Amino acid sequence: MLIRIKDLELRRLEFNETFQPGAIDLGSEYRQVAPLQTTGRAELIEENRGHKEILDDIRLVGNLATEVEIACARCLELVRQPVTRDFELLYRPQGADKTKEEAAVSKGETEISYYEGDGLLLEDVLREQVLLAVPYRALCQENCKGLCPTCGRNLNTGECTCKETQPDPRWNALGNLRDKLKID
C-alpha cells in the first residue's frame, strides 16, 4: 500500500490492512507464519523551515500483530514467536536534513526516517517494525541443551555417542595459568 503525499494533502489516511505470510520479505532468518494485521493512520505534517521552505513530513501511528518463525539460538529448531508492536513514526523527504559539514545528531533526529519520491510503502514500514520487535535470540525452551559440538546432534532429543574430546594442547599454558590464579 503506497502512502502518497498527494492523498495526504486532501485528508489523513486510516488503514486497516492484513498481509498474508510471504507478502512482506523479512529476510532469510525470519519467516512470517501468521497474517500480519495492522491498523493506524497516516497524516501529513507541514514543517515550516522559514524562507518559504515547507517540508512534507509523514506521520504514521499504528500497531501490528503477527507471528514469525525463528531458529532457536542453541539447537536451531524452529520457534514460533508472537510479535506485537505499537509505533509512532515520522518520515521526512530524503535529503531534507543534508548539510555540507558534519554535525552532531540529536536524539530527536535519530527517531526520524526518510522517504523518497511520492511517498512510502506501508509494507516497508511494517517490515522494519517487525524486525525491530523480534527478539535477537530465541530459545525453543528455557533449558535447551543445544547441539553436540562434535557431531551436531540435537541434545534435546537424546544423548550422542561422541567421546569427550581432549582440549587442544596449545591451550595448556593458559589452563595452567588459570589453575595458578585459582590457588592464589
Side-chain angles (χ1 to χ4, degrees):
M1 172 183 179
L2 180 62
I3 300 172
R4 296 173 11 142
I5 294 294
K6 289 183 180 185
D7 295 337
L8 295 177
E9 287 173 346
L10 301 174
R11 66 185 179 290
R12 82 179 190 188
L13 173 70
E14 302 282 334
F15 57 88
N16 183 354
E17 298 286 325
T18 301
F19 296 91
Q20 295 302 318
I24 298 175
D25 180 19
L26 298 177
S28 60
E29 295 184 27
Y30 308 105
R31 187 172 72 90
Q32 180 186 341
V33 293
L36 187 151
Q37 179 65 43
T38 183
T39 59
R41 71 181 183 278
E43 57 191 354
L44 184 67
I45 298 176
E46 291 184 343
E47 182 180 343
N48 188 344
R49 291 226 170 155
H51 301 313
K52 299 181 183 179
E53 182 184 358
I54 296 176
L55 291 180
D56 290 331
D57 294 346
I58 300 173
R59 180 172 178 241
L60 282 175
V61 178
N63 60 58
L64 64 86
T66 189
E67 195 169 322
V68 298
E69 260 183 355
I70 180 175
C72 173
R74 293 184 188 159
C75 70
L76 303 179
E77 291 294 319
L78 294 178
V79 178
R80 290 178 80 106
Q81 187 74 40
V83 176
T84 58
R85 186 171 180 92
D86 294 327
F87 54 88
E88 184 172 339
L89 308 166
L90 185 66
Y91 288 85
R92 188 168 283 160
Q94 185 73 35
D97 295 329
K98 190 175 177 180
T99 61
K100 293 181 181 176
E101 40 190 76
E102 283 189 32
V105 177
S106 70
K107 183 178 183 335
E109 289 174 323
T110 62
E111 298 173 1
I112 298 173
S113 296
Y114 298 91
Y115 68 89
E116 290 184 69
D118 270 356
L120 63 109
L121 281 172
L122 180 60
E123 290 87 337
D124 292 342
V125 173
L126 296 175
R127 176 184 192 275
E128 179 181 77
Q129 293 304 305
V130 168
L131 293 177
L132 288 170
V134 174
Y136 178 69
R137 285 175 36 122
L139 295 177
C140 61
Q141 54 190 347
E142 192 64 36
N143 59 349
C144 177
K145 296 177 183 176
L147 301 175
C148 171
T150 306
C151 69
R153 179 180 176 148
N154 185 343
L155 298 176
N156 295 315
T157 61
E159 296 296 316
C160 67
T161 57
C162 295
K163 295 180 182 174
E164 182 91 18
T165 59
Q166 295 299 320
D168 189 326
R170 295 175 286 186
W171 293 102
N172 287 344
L174 285 175
N176 294 338
L177 180 61
R178 180 191 65 214
D179 294 340
K180 283 183 183 178
L181 291 174
K182 283 184 182 178
I183 293 172
D184 294 340

